[in-house]
Amino acid sequence: MKKVLILGGGFAGVEAAIFLRKEGFSVTLISNRDYFYIYPTSIWIPTGESKFEDICVPLKDLQKAHGFELIIDEVTAIKSKENKVYCAKETYEYEYLVVAMGSGKMKHKGSENFLSICGVPEDSLKIKDKIDALIQKGSGKIAMGFGGNPKDPSNVRGGPAFEVLFNVHNQLKKLGIRDNFELTFFAPMAEPGARMGKQALKMMDVMFNKLDIKKHFGKKITKFEEDGIVFEDESKLESDFTMFIPAGNGHDVFANSDLPLNDSGMILINDYCEVQHDFDASSETQEGICKVFAIGDSVALQGPDWRAKQGHVAEVMARNVAFNIKQMVLGSDERKGYEEHINILCVMDSGDGAAFVYRDHKGGKMIPMPFIGHWLKKGWGFYCRNSKLGKIPRIPGM
């Protein structure tokens, strides 16, 4: 039985483990934390609608359901020429390697002065504490936003920033103190959310105006301070609490590895998620070059200008890799690629409703779903957890 080593316990890594086991491989998954974190539903932790444990699925439970080996360890280096992965506790060899470790974050001066809903999971609880403290005070200024990476525009997370701010607005409204708070959405780009399409962009503007959320767009961020954000023109957005999602760049581990990277530090792959090494053709390791795959936020995603890294794309890549490795073992040339599946798909929650957002090569659309949209996303969270645990059937393609 061929052995596959997977690095990462997020959407990409867990999906790869599940489907590689379905294909009959011996699978080992290495993760630096012992739970799978459902990031899209963590938006409800700051407002207290969900508890932290609601968003976590123990990897031991997934291990039991699917039969892969689980190792909790910190990856420090990947040496594909040696077919070895170095970790804090031990070194591991592999026949096939799937890198699904996610990405690093862009560095910002004064980063200690903001928290991110897309950072380490525990930050969601700290965000809740900050919001609760301002509610206890009875008034305040709250700024939320996200950044971009000019070298890799696809590695940006804007949706959760919109969602957390909308949910906080709804929470303050329910408490009857919304008028005591100044809410501002900020971003360095002129049209944050433009990749969702023109219709979605217009509707977002309508929502900001309707909810009395101020906008601060189009100015490069210089630094974050304890009481606000400073921009390139030396203007300052005052804030009692700042939530900011930095754009992604290459994981720190990749810089300590021999994997091919783009200018942003993301792993270079082809449409089949095979890592595109540039080893010399005469190298002794040439035979093993295509035994390394990378998926999810770890990679330099190819596709249209509006492409964005999302969990469902990562899962498509993971399922394709399981198929492609099986075909390699069988000696078949059949392969499945991910680029034809590039789209933007999300249910943007506001706490009292949601909007269905979809974008593909034909264009984009945003469909309001008052009330029911919120429970639709809640239902997806239930489905995500329980389908992965094998407690309910999986919907084909999901």
Side-chain angles (χ1 to χ4, degrees):
M1 184 185 295
K2 294 290 184 180
K3 297 181 179 180
V4 183
L5 181 63
I6 300 172
L7 309 181
F11 276 97
V14 167
E15 189 80 345
I18 291 172
F19 278 81
L20 281 162
R21 286 295 299 135
K22 288 179 182 291
E23 295 289 2
F25 292 99
S26 172
V27 176
T28 299
L29 186 147
I30 299 178
S31 173
N32 64 349
R33 54 179 177 249
D34 62 2
Y35 58 89
F36 164 60
Y37 191 67
I38 309 176
Y39 271 101
T41 57
S42 68
I43 58 170
W44 297 310
I45 293 177
T47 58
E49 189 169 345
S50 291
K51 295 181 179 179
F52 187 80
E53 53 267 29
D54 296 334
I55 313 303
C56 302
V57 182
L59 286 175
K60 284 187 177 180
D61 292 349
L62 290 165
Q63 174 192 25
K64 183 178 180 180
H66 301 286
F68 56 83
E69 181 183 358
L70 174 64
I71 296 172
I72 306 301
D73 204 347
E74 189 78 39
V75 178
T76 58
I78 302 167
K79 301 298 182 183
S80 55
K81 285 185 179 181
E82 306 170 15
N83 285 352
K84 290 182 179 179
V85 172
Y86 293 83
C87 295
K89 299 177 183 177
E90 199 171 332
T91 299
Y92 304 90
E93 297 186 355
Y94 59 84
E95 291 182 90
Y96 293 89
L97 176 67
V98 180
V99 182
M101 296 175 60
S103 68
K105 300 295 182 183
M106 296 283 287
K107 308 300 182 185
H108 292 272
K109 186 176 181 180
S111 60
E112 68 275 11
N113 294 310
F114 68 77
L115 293 169
S116 174
I117 194 66
C118 293
V120 295
E122 291 77 11
D123 273 4
S124 62
L125 293 170
K126 295 178 182 179
I127 294 172
K128 183 182 186 306
D129 290 342
K130 292 287 187 179
I131 298 297
D132 286 350
L134 286 175
I135 289 175
Q136 186 67 31
K137 178 185 172 186
S139 64
K141 296 180 179 180
I142 299 173
M144 297 191 182
F146 67 96
N149 184 344
K151 293 182 179 180
D152 190 346
S154 71
N155 208 0
V156 61
R157 284 285 191 275
F162 292 117
E163 291 181 291
V164 174
L165 189 56
F166 292 154
N167 272 268
V168 169
H169 160 84
N170 191 55
Q171 179 186 21
L172 297 175
K173 184 179 177 181
K174 286 181 177 179
L175 293 172
I177 57 174
R178 173 63 179 89
D179 291 343
N180 299 340
F181 286 81
E182 180 180 285
L183 304 185
T184 304
F185 194 89
F186 69 98
M189 61 284 294
E191 295 183 320
R195 64 183 63 246
M196 294 186 294
K198 293 182 179 180
Q199 181 195 5
L201 199 62
K202 290 179 180 178
M203 289 188 65
M204 291 298 295
D205 195 54
V206 170
M207 286 189 70
F208 283 134
N209 293 330
K210 180 181 178 182
L211 304 181
D212 191 27
I213 295 175
K214 299 181 183 301
K215 298 173 292 184
H216 195 292
F217 301 159
K219 293 183 180 180
K220 184 178 179 181
I221 299 168
T222 301
K223 61 181 176 179
F224 292 86
E225 295 183 339
E226 187 176 357
D227 60 350
I229 308 101
V230 179
F231 299 91
E232 59 184 339
D233 62 356
E234 298 185 357
S235 63
K236 184 173 181 176
L237 172 61
E238 294 183 355
S239 173
D240 296 311
F241 169 61
T242 302
M243 198 285 288
F244 179 70
I245 304 175
N249 62 3
H251 199 292
D252 290 343
V253 169
F254 302 161
N256 193 30
S257 304
D258 61 1
L259 303 172
L261 309 175
N262 70 356
D263 291 340
S264 187
M266 305 294 181
I267 302 173
L268 295 171
I269 61 171
N270 62 15
D271 191 27
Y272 308 132
C273 299
E274 298 171 344
V275 173
Q276 295 298 277
H277 283 100
D278 57 0
F279 295 159
D280 185 274
S282 62
S283 169
E284 293 181 1
T285 62
Q286 184 69 22
E287 183 181 350
I289 286 177
C290 288
K291 292 183 178 180
V292 181
F293 298 79
I295 55 180
D297 283 8
S298 298
V299 310
L301 196 70
Q302 301 301 308
D305 292 342
W306 50 261
R307 68 193 184 280
K309 293 177 179 177
Q310 291 188 290
H312 72 280
V313 175
E315 290 186 333
V316 167
M317 299 172 97
R319 294 191 290 268
N320 285 356
V321 162
F323 176 86
N324 293 342
I325 292 177
K326 181 64 175 291
Q327 297 308 307
M328 291 177 71
V329 171
L330 294 175
S332 168
D333 292 329
E334 187 177 1
R335 299 288 186 273
K336 289 184 178 180
Y338 75 89
E339 291 184 35
E340 65 178 297
H341 299 284
I342 292 293
N343 59 55
I344 294 174
L345 174 63
C346 71
V347 175
M348 187 176 294
D349 184 80
S350 61
D352 59 352
F356 175 78
V357 180
Y358 184 77
R359 173 79 188 268
D360 61 13
H361 67 281
K362 296 179 181 178
K365 58 185 175 182
M366 176 181 276
I367 302 173
M369 296 187 296
F371 184 72
I372 193 173
H374 177 67
W375 294 105
L376 180 63
K377 185 150 187 168
K378 286 277 188 178
W380 176 84
F382 174 86
Y383 167 80
C384 179
R385 169 187 290 271
N386 289 285
S387 65
K388 282 179 169 31
L389 288 169
K391 294 182 178 180
I392 61 174
R394 292 191 64 146
I395 299 172
M398 291 185 64

